[in-house]
Amino acid sequence: LERKEGRAHSMTTPIVAGFGVAAVAMTGRMAILAFEAWKTAPPRLRKFYEGGFEPEMTRREAAMILGVRESAAKDKVLAAHRKVMVANHPDAGGSDYIATKINEAKAQMLGGRGGKTGF
């Protein structure tokens, strides 16, 4: 009688281990599939302003271009200008027109005369 119980116990161990290995394998497969789906998903982008530039730049438009508040401090404006300019610099494949607008926005936010550009 003791032998049968011992033998039954020794037979269930491989079965339980098999279920454990299968569960780990299925979890790993699901994790890989979830990672692949995450990797190929389109990036979540901020909603950008849809529309062109105004003929004469306003403080509101300048703040939108730089991604700061209209009441932003000088250091925030300069940091935002640098960040946006690095991403859009003509030497890095950006547009001359966009770079000019970014510089105009900085001038407008720092109290300079925004005005019209040469474009």
Side-chain angles (χ1 to χ4, degrees), residues 36-107:
E36 291 294 327
W38 173 76
K39 199 166 65 171
T40 59
R44 293 185 178 162
L45 300 175
R46 280 185 6 193
K47 176 95 169 110
F48 289 101
Y49 175 73
E50 294 178 13
F53 294 108
E54 297 176 20
E56 180 133 351
M57 185 167 295
T58 63
R59 191 164 178 84
R60 179 179 180 271
E61 183 181 29
M64 287 174 50
I65 289 170
L66 296 176
V68 296
R69 294 177 183 244
E70 289 182 50
S71 60
K74 180 180 178 180
D75 60 328
K76 296 275 187 189
V77 171
L78 292 174
H81 173 264
R82 178 170 170 72
K83 182 178 177 184
V84 174
M85 195 56 145
V86 165
N88 294 285
H89 198 276
D91 291 347
S95 162
D96 288 331
Y97 180 72
I98 299 297
T100 303
K101 284 299 197 177
I102 293 167
N103 286 329
E104 186 180 352
K106 178 183 90 169

Side-chain angles (χ1 to χ4, degrees), residues 6-19:
R7 189 166 185 200
H9 177 67
S10 66
M11 291 179 75
T12 58
T13 302
I15 293 172
V16 171
F19 281 126

Side-chain angles (χ1 to χ4, degrees), residues 16-35:
V16 171
F19 281 126
V21 169
V24 168
M26 289 175 56
T27 303
R29 181 174 186 273
M30 295 307 269
I32 291 170
L33 291 175
F35 176 72

